[in-house]
Amino acid sequence: MAERYQNYVNGAWSDASSGSVSTSTNPADLSDVIGEFQASTAGDVAAAITAAHDVKESWRRTSSLARGGYLLKAAAYLEANPEEFAQALTRECGKAILEARGEIGRAVALLQYYGVEGSNPVGSVVPSVNPEILLYTNRMPLGVVSLITPWNFPFAIPIWKMAPALVYGNTIVLKPASATPHVATLIAKMWEAVDLPAGVFNLVTGSGSAVGNELITNDKVAAISFTGSTRIGMNIAAESAKRGKRYQLEMGGKNPVIVLPDADLEQAAEITVSGAMKFSGQKCTATSRAIVVGNVMEEFTNLVVEKTNALKIGAGADPESIIVPVIDQASKDNIASMIKRGVDDGGQILAGGGVPSGADYDKGTFVEPTVINNVAADAYVACEEIFGPVLSILPAGDAENALDIANSVEYGLSAGIFTKDLNSVLDFADRIEAGVVKINGETAGLEPQVPFGGMKASSSGDREQGKAAIEFFTQTKTIYVDRSAT
């Protein structure tokens, strides 16, 4: 019988009021049931929000150094148990074990970074026109923050939201993706292990349709930080705006790389395939379009196809696997339909295009890494996010045309260029409509000490990580102190 897991509310583990559970399975082997998880209701979410609300003042009044101390203890806890978390992550979301270990390492780095932030100044003293007045600013926490996080980075994304939220004095309720609730329970156990005060962190599992509305509309919630689809994000924006709540949205991407004729084609092909195919393309920053300029199209395409065909398909537990299972059957079906539509619209499959067969794949949700060319810039497959191991190769007449193609979609998350020409680099960096710009580098892959976020439909504009996180999770208070009359 599968192990049953509970919600974590007000420092205690508890069942949902529905009495119902859902299961989580291993995408590499759907017969491998990881456990049963609470199918929470709006009432369960309301209880978690109330728990966070009841302690928000005591947590705000806790020294920021002490708040940072909890993060540093959590980082040490993870460093002492990295393989347990990495293996759990690989089993539940299918990620290659090497990438899973990297994700845990990133979580450690985030906790350490924001743990140290607890000792940094958050305000400033400003000269006043009146020399008798002390004029200064301070940063105040928002209160209760709802965190709604995706399955593709089930450890790192919750941490990069909650670490700054906590160190800046907010209390939180986490609703993880329904596909990866087990990883979220491990995060709760981490906070339990370091004795984070009850109610400061709360976890509720369940479907977005059942609990999402309460996380957004509850009067005790001050802000919502969300990573997921553009459609859901826009709904959150609308509902939050109606209620005057702060919201932070990180959403889809259709990330391009431009390959100029002077590029090192071997390097460009290697990095493009890595960005497009690792974790089976299930990253919001994954490379989705390669826009090739001039007479290097054939050579670059041949290199991409050769490198794609050499990728090993297999379960994430195998350290040699690059193409791992996609998260579930619905995702597998959607990727297949997108590939078919690309072909129907005139595209030609140069690599992959189907699903692997055999005993190693039949129990999981595997998709072949796929390369399509003859794709028009306005074709559906070239404009819409696929979230799978699919790369479209598009021709461009010159650098100007390539930039126009890159900017022609509604998304603007990450983008790259391959060239040795400094003028082309500077022009691209200035004009590309993307929040993350890579020069001769992979569109995926981010460092935690710098801001992250997109433009256009990829983001609400607020940046995550680095020093920028304080802008979302706090509000500025200006204080005038005059001398008392005598």
Side-chain angles (χ1 to χ4, degrees), residues 89-113:
L89 198 158
T90 288
R91 185 183 176 202
E92 189 166 47
C93 79
K95 184 168 291 189
I97 187 61
L98 296 180
E99 289 196 74
R101 289 169 182 154
E103 183 169 341
I104 301 306
R106 181 172 183 173
V108 170
L110 285 158
L111 289 164
Q112 291 172 334
Y113 179 90

Side-chain angles (χ1 to χ4, degrees), residues 320-341:
E320 296 184 1
S321 295
I322 301 296
I323 304 299
V324 294
V326 297
I327 189 63
D328 55 25
Q329 186 63 43
S331 179
K332 179 179 176 180
D333 292 343
N334 179 65
I335 294 166
S337 70
M338 293 288 280
I339 294 171
K340 181 180 184 302
R341 182 157 183 174

